[in-house]
Amino acid sequence: MMQRLTVSFALLFAAVSAVACEAPPVATAPQDPGTADKVRRLAAIFDYVAADYPGAVKDGRVLSAAEYAEQLSFVDDAAALAHNLGAGPVKPDDLFARIAQVGAAVKEKAPPKKVAALSRDLGRDVLAAYGVVLAPASPPSFARGEVLFRDNCAQCHGETGAGDGRRAPELSPPPRSFHDPEVMAGMTPARAFSALTDGVADTAMASFGLLSPSDRWNLAFYVHTLRYSPAAATHGHKVYRDAGAPVPATASFLAGHSDAQLTAALGQAHINPDDLADVRAYLRRVAAYAAEGAPMDRARALIGQAVAATREDDSAAARRAAGAAYLDGFEPHEASLRAIDSDLVLRAEAEFLALREAIAGGAPASDIEQRALMLGTVLDDADAALSGNGGGAVVAFSTSLAVILREGIEGALLILLLLGLARRSGASDSDTRAIHGGWVAAIGAGAVTWVVAGWLIAIIGGVQRELIEGVISVLAAVVLLTVSHFVLARLDAERRVTSLKDRLARAGSSGRRRLVLAGLAFVAVYREAFEAVLFLRAIMLDADASGAAIALGAAVAVVLLIALVFAMTKLGKRLRPGPMLTGLGTILCALAVILAGKGVRALQEAGTVAIRPITGPRIDILGVFPTLETLLAQAAVLLAFVALTGWALARGRARAARARHEAAAA
């Protein structure tokens, strides 16, 4: 039976591994800053077409000849710019074909929705293919944007951005009003950034390319705040929270979304239409400048530090910040995110690794910034996925239940044995109370151990936490194998029972006897409690957000344990806990294999164990990672389990043979 179970587990492990997939590829950041700027300008052109074409054509008729001619010239400019891109990730013929498709739609005076869709899809795909992200490297500054607007823009656009500045009457076309709903419906901060960078042809809008990129982003975001009041933003914040944060409240997300797009996204969250403007006010005036409470905020802040350190040529600080961004900012949410979207976790891990490798390889600051921006878009997706979702809990629940039940049954059996031995040796009521007091104190000590362990883990940093996670997981794997394998557990139980009998026999006076009984009960149960804390903390370190699931599994295990203890006291020898312990032990030995892989992986992430990648599957739920070190650790535990099982079967056959020989001799 056990041999078949072992083989079945090994086959299951191999079968699940065979169907797993590897991490997705990572987008390539452009090596030439000039290429990145050309790609940005190309995407900006199609953003202009998508936003401005509706003002030129309606129902197949030209509304404004000047606007229509401008749309045609935009397409021609895009084609010329595409010719200058040179070799890249997009085949030139494919790019030219799609540009020609947009141009044909404009010439045919196609419906605005069709032209907008073609233009936005093309701009988005070009940016993604070249690994260019149109967003600030760090959150913009409202105060700095306000100063820049007053000094550079107010004379044309007006102090409040209403298009009524001192120079406005002499300008043709007149300056745009940032209070005009139609103007702002199609404008994004990314589009405003491009206008500030390149200027706008045939208008008084000159290029502000001499301003730093961060200042251009400060201005681009600031003009989107001008039509919203602080009071509206305050109310909008409450509505946004109550709606479960339906869109990411981050600068990198908001940079590419117009008010019309935000309205559409918020409408899907069933927000009252009367509140939509106030929610946009919160996103534009507050959230874009300092995200509040988003799960990935810590990761973003540390990535920003890494980028800043790169600009200052401090590669060591950049590596530390990038490592901490993953360990302190992303990994605490990884288990919850994995339950919602495992592919997104793989994308994030791949982007984190690409950022760290770029820093370690001495890549230019512009490449590091683009890597950070690409990672920021993945973190936006992570925030959106985590919004309103709890962590995946099936594994945490089931392993918690198995651990508590396994340790609880063994502890209960030892206490029942101790009570039986005490009664057979003439135990008094005081002796019985001492035994019960001992195991109750052990449970209390186990609870304190749990709290202290959690406190210690909470106050340490990410690298240290990875190191502790690795050590605890590997230690838990070894202990699980030794205490849960039915052979070793049986030998250990025999030793413990013998020890109980010997120490009880040596107890002298009644006072000393009660102290010995209480001590034996305490040690017997606290050992199980300590092992349970060790195993559950190992699980919880891997699934930080699954505390509720672990607690639920433990609660169910306690209820089952109480029922089993009651049955054992009533049924006595007719109830055989041995097969149950053997089955649970086999399950926990499988958990030991998983923890071995995850423990070594954590040590690799902490930088204490080498990483030698190999081609193979990645199955996080089984602790399988495509590195030589993790797979060797798991193979060692699995082989130990199989070897111990074979040893047990051989011993059983030898005992049976001796019994037959003795019977034949008799």
Side-chain angles (χ1 to χ4, degrees):
M1 171 67 180
M2 183 55 61
Q3 190 173 21
R4 290 197 300 270
L5 185 60
T6 303
V7 173
S8 298
F9 169 71
L11 290 174
L12 175 63
F13 197 89
V16 177
S17 300
V19 300
C21 60
E22 297 183 47
V26 182
T28 301
Q31 298 299 311
D32 178 11
T35 298
D37 190 61
K38 291 173 186 175
V39 170
R40 177 196 60 76
R41 289 171 58 197
L42 187 61
I45 287 174
F46 289 108
D47 189 22
Y48 281 123
V49 173
D52 293 351
Y53 179 81
V57 176
K58 183 178 181 181
D59 298 329
R61 295 183 298 105
V62 174
L63 300 177
S64 168
E67 286 285 346
Y68 183 66
E70 186 178 39
Q71 304 307 304
L72 292 172
S73 69
F74 279 153
V75 176
D76 292 339
D77 292 343
L81 189 58
H83 276 288
N84 292 328
L85 274 179
V90 179
K91 293 181 179 179
D93 290 345
D94 293 342
L95 180 57
F96 297 144
R98 293 187 66 179
I99 293 174
Q101 186 181 20
V102 175
V106 173
K107 290 176 182 177
E108 293 168 2
K109 305 178 184 61
K113 284 187 177 180
K114 178 180 178 180
V115 173
L118 290 172
S119 300
R120 288 202 171 98
D121 287 349
L122 178 52
R124 182 188 63 245
D125 292 347
V126 169
L127 289 172
Y130 280 87
V132 175
V133 177
L134 292 182
S138 57
S141 165
F142 183 94
R144 178 62 177 164
E146 187 175 32
V147 170
L148 289 166
F149 185 84
R150 184 186 65 235
D151 294 345
N152 297 277
C153 311
Q155 58 181 336
C156 296
H157 291 280
E159 293 292 332
T160 65
D164 56 356
R166 175 177 54 81
R167 293 190 55 206
E170 61 190 64
L171 300 178
S172 179
R176 289 191 169 182
S177 168
F178 299 119
H179 293 259
D180 186 339
E182 292 187 7
V183 170
M184 301 309 293
M187 183 178 290
T188 65
R191 182 182 175 188
F193 176 85
S194 291
L196 287 162
T197 302
D198 304 324
V200 180
D202 301 322
T203 73
M205 179 65 190
S207 168
F208 285 81
L210 293 178
L211 292 176
S212 68
S214 61
D215 275 347
R216 276 175 272 152
W217 280 115
N218 289 331
L219 268 174
F221 275 87
Y222 179 76
V223 299
H224 281 75
T225 71
L226 292 170
R227 70 190 185 110
Y228 298 116
S229 69
T234 300
H235 177 249
H237 189 188
K238 180 180 182 303
V239 176
Y240 175 85
R241 288 199 316 265
D242 293 345
V247 298
T250 62
S252 56
F253 175 83
L254 296 170
H257 286 73
S258 65
D259 282 6
Q261 290 171 311
L262 288 178
T263 298
L266 294 170
Q268 293 178 359
H270 306 296
I271 294 176
N272 189 320
D274 295 336
D275 293 328
L276 288 175
D278 288 353
V279 177
R280 291 199 311 267
Y282 160 68
L283 294 172
R284 295 301 192 195
R285 285 193 65 97
V286 179
Y289 295 95
E292 299 179 0
M296 298 299 159
D297 283 353
R298 175 66 173 158
R300 289 190 185 87
L302 289 165
I303 290 168
Q305 292 178 22
V307 172
T310 301
R311 293 197 193 103
E312 297 172 2
D313 294 326
D314 190 347
S315 59
R319 287 196 300 272
R320 287 195 299 270
Y326 175 76
L327 297 172
D328 291 337
F330 179 80
E331 198 188 40
H333 307 284
E334 183 177 332
S336 299
L337 187 59
R338 192 179 303 281
I340 302 164
D341 189 343
S342 59
D343 289 340
L344 184 55
V345 172
L346 296 179
R347 283 172 51 208
E349 290 181 343
E351 291 292 353
F352 270 112
L353 179 60
L355 176 64
R356 292 167 66 177
E357 288 181 343
I359 293 172
S366 59
D367 286 4
I368 302 298
E369 183 168 323
Q370 278 301 315
R371 280 289 177 206
L373 289 171
M374 284 188 283
L375 180 53
T377 63
V378 178
L379 297 182
D380 285 344
D381 293 340
D383 277 333
L386 288 170
S387 177
N389 290 286
V394 175
V395 173
F397 170 83
S398 58
T399 51
S400 172
L401 189 152
V403 166
I404 295 296
L405 201 56
R406 168 67 176 76
E407 301 299 330
I409 290 175
E410 187 166 340
L413 288 173
L414 288 170
I415 294 300
L416 290 174
L417 174 63
L418 186 58
L419 287 169
L421 291 173
R423 289 193 186 100
R424 283 198 294 272
S425 60
S428 64
D429 290 340
S430 297
D431 292 335
T432 303
R433 285 195 296 270
I435 293 172
H436 289 308
W439 70 259
V440 169
I443 291 177
V448 172
T449 304
W450 172 266
V451 172
V452 171
W455 174 75
L456 289 173
I457 291 170
I459 64 173
I460 60 178
V463 174
Q464 290 80 10
R465 186 170 61 248
E466 283 295 320
L467 184 60
I468 288 179
E469 176 182 344
V471 171
I472 288 178
S473 296
V474 172
L475 178 61
V478 174
V479 176
L480 269 175
L481 184 64
T482 57
V483 305
S484 297
H485 195 284
F486 69 99
V487 175
L488 299 180
R490 185 177 300 165
L491 294 176
D492 181 62
E494 291 172 358
R495 287 193 297 269
R496 294 171 73 182
V497 169
T498 301
S499 176
L500 287 177
K501 291 179 178 179
D502 291 344
R503 294 189 64 180
L504 187 59
R506 292 196 302 269
S509 63
S510 59
R512 175 180 171 79
R513 179 186 174 87
R514 286 192 292 273
L515 184 62
V516 168
L517 288 171
L520 289 173
F522 179 88
V523 171
V525 173
Y526 182 70
R527 168 180 154 157
E528 310 301 334
F530 181 82
E531 289 173 355
V533 169
L534 177 67
F535 305 148
L536 294 184
R537 280 296 175 191
I539 297 167
M540 203 166 184
L541 278 169
D542 181 59
D544 185 62
S546 299
I550 290 175
L552 180 61
V556 172
V558 168
V559 172
L560 292 175
L561 184 60
I562 291 172
L564 286 170
V565 171
F566 179 78
M568 282 189 282
T569 56
K570 293 298 182 182
L571 300 177
K573 292 185 178 180
R574 283 179 292 173
L575 185 66
R576 300 179 61 193
M580 180 180 298
L581 286 173
T582 299
L584 287 171
T586 302
I587 293 172
L588 294 182
C589 282
L591 179 61
V593 177
I594 296 171
L595 287 177
K598 292 189 174 184
V600 173
R601 176 67 172 180
L603 293 174
Q604 289 176 326
E605 291 175 346
T608 57
V609 172
I611 301 177
R612 279 175 282 187
I614 61 174
T615 301
R618 171 174 175 150
I619 316 168
D620 292 73
I621 195 172
L622 294 180
V624 176
F625 302 93
T627 72
L628 182 63
E629 293 77 13
T630 54
L631 293 179
L632 284 177
Q634 289 191 306
V637 175
L638 186 58
L639 287 173
F641 175 58
V642 173
L644 288 169
T645 302
W647 178 49
L649 294 173
R651 287 186 63 195
R653 286 193 294 268
R655 282 197 299 268
R658 278 197 305 271
R660 288 194 300 270
H661 179 73
E662 291 171 358

